[in-house]
Amino acid sequence: MPSAELTERYSRQILFSGIGAEGQQKLEAAHVAIVGCGATGAAAASLLARAGVGTLTLIDRDFVEESNLQRQVLFDEADASLALPKAEAARRKIALFNSEVNVRAQIADLIPANIHELLRGADLILDATDNFETRYLLNDYAVEQGKPWIYAAAIGAYAVTMNILPGETACLACIFPKPPGGTVETCDTAGILNSAVNLAASIEVTEAFKLLTGAKNKLRRSILSFDLWTNEQSEIATAHPRPDCEVCQQRNFAHLRGEGRPHITLCGRNSVQIHEHHRPVDFAELETKLKPHGKVRSNNLLLRFERGDNVITIFGDGRALIQGTTDITQARSLYARFIGS
């Protein structure tokens, strides 16, 4: 049984008949991985931690900026000033309001080479990413491993979620065999309401509660979307896999194999990510090297180098975000020139 102190902390949640004392114990024993600690991920992480989910793995490749503070609820001005990696900033904030939760901060880009390591042990995966490339990778992994995951997205005033139970429901590739064509809106072009983000996270986390407490019969088996500004909503059944789905029926995991994986331009920024140079970085040595060429700021988690219109942020594994361009050739050239190839 939970201690008296924990029973008091979660008393209002235990009173809810759908969870109760037994459900609370299941939450405390659960391990949830959240991929992305931006707007949706920060809200989801806060809700899960406050509800007493025992272990959270937070995976994010990015750092906190001032423009994040409008919607990313776990961060503050100090985090933005320090350019703290989002996963680590989230871990620190969660420790302030629930020190009992084991939070594993992973400052990394989720790619085929590390997905098995980073998601090992998780009972459930929550999507809080900003691109379909990573979502298709998650879908491949989840189907391969037979592990449930929840798709969630928000843009403008629009929020959408979908539960994926491999072997039972449709998977992401059943509904979206190919990524959206044409020009795809991002929060940089269409903007985003913090209320849409919180709606997506709230629905996603509630579905997670159902799954983690054993209320599987209560899980929604549809893709659900809302536009909070126009009041439009839709729901499409996803209870059954598509018979000819390449992923969940034919078990062809092209994304997990890394086939055709592009460089990803990040949501909300004029930037390119360079992630093929996986190697440890000596920040002190690099700072000495770069100081004659521009402004340098660093901590033990990352280094930022400003030169002209470009800002290069280097993480501990050698991964870099090149801001000020969407030209992959230029980004690679800047990386090679100042960081090394």
Side-chain angles (χ1 to χ4, degrees), residues 29 121 131 186 276 293 295:
N131 66 88
T186 70
E276 69 263 36
H293 305 286
K295 183 180 177 182

Side-chain angles (χ1 to χ4, degrees), residues 44-268:
S46 177
L47 290 169
L48 290 170
R50 291 178 188 279
V53 170
T55 301
L56 297 177
T57 293
L58 308 181
I59 304 167
D60 196 279
R61 64 192 179 190
D62 207 354
F63 56 89
V64 183
E65 294 185 289
E66 187 176 13
S67 63
N68 301 151
L69 303 181
Q70 167 255 351
R71 63 196 179 281
Q72 299 185 15
V73 297
L74 281 179
F75 311 131
D76 58 29
E77 292 177 353
D79 298 325
S81 177
L82 293 171
L84 276 179
K86 290 181 181 179
E88 174 60 17
R91 185 195 67 78
R92 295 181 186 185
K93 288 298 189 299
I94 289 170
L96 295 176
F97 63 77
N98 196 343
S99 59
E100 297 293 327
V101 175
N102 175 23
V103 181
R104 304 172 181 177
Q106 300 288 350
I107 305 165
D109 186 26
L110 192 76
I111 58 175
N114 64 19
I115 188 168
H116 288 86
E117 176 187 354
L118 292 179
L119 296 180
R120 184 179 295 118
D123 303 308
L124 171 66
I125 305 162
L126 300 190
D127 163 40
T129 65
D130 58 14
N131 66 88
F132 263 87
E133 257 51 50
T134 305
R135 290 181 179 123
Y136 283 128
L137 175 62
L138 275 177
N139 190 62
D140 275 12
Y141 171 84
V143 172
E144 180 203 51
Q145 298 290 315
K147 194 173 297 265
W149 74 286
I150 303 177
Y151 159 62
I155 191 74
Y158 177 80
V160 58
T161 71
M162 171 185 171
N163 299 325
I164 294 140
L165 306 175
E168 297 183 40
T169 68
C171 76
L172 187 70
C174 291
I175 306 301
F176 304 110
K178 301 292 181 186
T183 302
V184 178
E185 294 281 20
T186 70
C187 57
D188 196 34
T189 60
I192 189 165
L193 295 182
N194 54 20
S195 52
V197 166
N198 282 278
L199 175 62
S202 292
I203 296 172
E204 183 179 39
V205 169
T206 303
E207 295 300 300
F209 289 159
K210 296 175 188 178
L211 194 147
L212 296 172
T213 59
K216 199 173 179 181
N217 63 319
K218 302 293 186 183
L219 284 169
R220 192 187 68 255
R221 294 173 188 248
S222 65
I223 183 166
L224 180 66
S225 64
F226 291 89
D227 189 312
L228 295 176
W229 204 254
T230 64
N231 302 311
E232 295 174 347
Q233 58 179 289
S234 70
E235 192 166 5
I236 301 170
T238 60
H240 304 290
R242 184 165 51 84
D244 61 345
C245 177
E246 285 193 11
V247 178
C248 67
Q249 299 304 299
Q250 300 177 23
R251 299 187 68 82
N252 178 15
F253 304 130
H255 291 271
L256 201 55
R257 294 193 298 270
E259 295 177 7
R261 185 173 176 83
H263 290 260
I264 299 170
T265 301
L266 298 183
C267 170

